[in-house]
Amino acid sequence: MLNIVIFGAPGAGKGTQADLLAEKYDLLHISTGDLLRQEVAKGSPLGQRAQAIMNRGDLVGDDIVVQLLAQALRGVAGGEGQEPSEYRGCIVDGFPRTVAQAQTLEFLFSKLRLSIDAIIAIDVPRDELVRRIHERAAISGRADDTEEVIRHRIELYDEQTRPVLDYYRVSGRLVTVDGSEQIADTNTRICKVMDVLLRGGKR
Ligand code: ADP
């Protein structure tokens, strides 16, 4: 079993890379952004609470996000009385966004008797991030892809999310890859890391 977190600023390409890895390595892709957008689309009470917060580019409360994540993680563990999972592990994308969330993630994994094997951080220079988000904004139709909201999301990343890197660095599970080039280049770099992890080797 291989469980990884894919990490990066908005626009770093986490979702794109996570999709490619999930397909190649039979991993369950758990994206908290996607889980939240599904709730918004369903119009569930939880989605209704999350919608305005997401549109402002703020972080949705842990009570909501953790509930969705915990439910999704059960899909990878199999669970008591359930069929064994069809996946070889999972790739978590969009979580943790704060150090407190990183601690919660450790707790959720340990409850399922699982562990996080590595955090793969995609490193992209600031100018390139801004360029990509604007490009995506033109086609995504996402309510949180406007100029002001994008700026706010990047600010929040710097203040609250970037410290998560240090949290994982001290535990020796952080691997950083250059994500400044094309999707396929980043994918090649990440796959090299994955192959080493799957062989159980040291990085
Ligand atoms: P991006 O990484 O491009 O900003 P995501 O799809 O990961 O986009 O997230 C979109 C929005 O969903 C975030 O701006 C935030 O409002 C909410 N969200 C996603 N994950 C979390 C999380 N772990 N904690 C709090 N809010 C979250």
Side-chain angles (χ1 to χ4, degrees):
M1 181 151 249
L2 185 67
N3 299 307
I4 60 170
V5 169
I6 191 121
F7 189 90
K14 301 180 295 279
T16 306
Q17 294 299 332
D19 275 338
L20 293 169
L21 297 175
E23 172 81 26
K24 176 164 179 185
Y25 296 99
D26 282 329
L27 302 174
L28 174 63
H29 178 189
I30 302 175
S31 155
T32 48
D34 285 350
L35 291 172
L36 285 163
R37 281 185 287 275
Q38 277 163 24
E39 291 300 312
V40 171
K42 275 194 269 177
S44 69
L46 204 139
Q48 288 173 12
R49 279 169 61 202
Q51 186 165 30
I53 305 170
M54 291 173 76
N55 289 353
R56 290 197 304 267
D58 281 326
L59 295 186
V60 174
D62 285 0
D63 53 338
I64 295 180
V65 184
V66 171
Q67 188 182 327
L68 291 174
L69 177 68
Q71 211 173 324
L73 278 175
R74 277 184 227 123
V76 76
E80 239 169 87
Q82 286 182 22
E83 292 292 315
S85 166
E86 61 193 285
Y87 297 102
R88 288 166 68 197
C90 68
I91 176 155
V92 181
D93 151 20
F95 195 102
R97 268 176 153 85
T98 62
V99 171
Q101 287 190 357
Q103 289 161 344
T104 302
L105 192 62
E106 297 291 336
F107 174 73
L108 291 175
F109 268 80
S110 68
K111 270 208 317 197
L112 296 168
R113 298 181 192 285
L114 298 174
S115 58
I116 300 164
D117 298 292
I119 291 77
I120 301 180
I122 307 178
D123 190 34
V124 177
R126 178 56 45 98
D127 292 355
E128 175 65 10
L129 287 178
V130 174
R131 194 194 65 73
R132 286 185 194 175
I133 305 179
H134 282 114
E135 198 176 76
R136 181 175 77 185
I139 46 170
S140 76
R142 260 171 62 169
D144 59 351
D145 272 348
T146 64
E147 184 82 40
E148 201 189 324
V149 175
I150 290 167
R151 201 171 325 115
H152 184 54
R153 275 157 57 207
I154 294 182
E155 258 167 38
L156 274 187
Y157 173 82
D158 284 336
E159 285 164 19
Q160 309 217 24
T161 309
R162 196 186 287 282
V164 171
L165 286 173
D166 291 324
Y167 177 89
Y168 286 116
R169 192 174 285 118
V170 296
S171 74
R173 286 172 297 169
L174 179 69
V175 190
T176 304
V177 295
D178 174 8
S180 61
E181 292 172 55
Q182 300 297 306
I183 292 172
D185 301 315
T186 307
N187 184 242
T188 304
R189 293 194 174 98
I190 300 180
C191 287
K192 278 188 193 149
V193 174
M194 294 290 289
D195 293 338
V196 173
L197 289 168
L198 281 168
R199 285 199 303 269
K202 293 258 181 282
R203 296 179 294 281

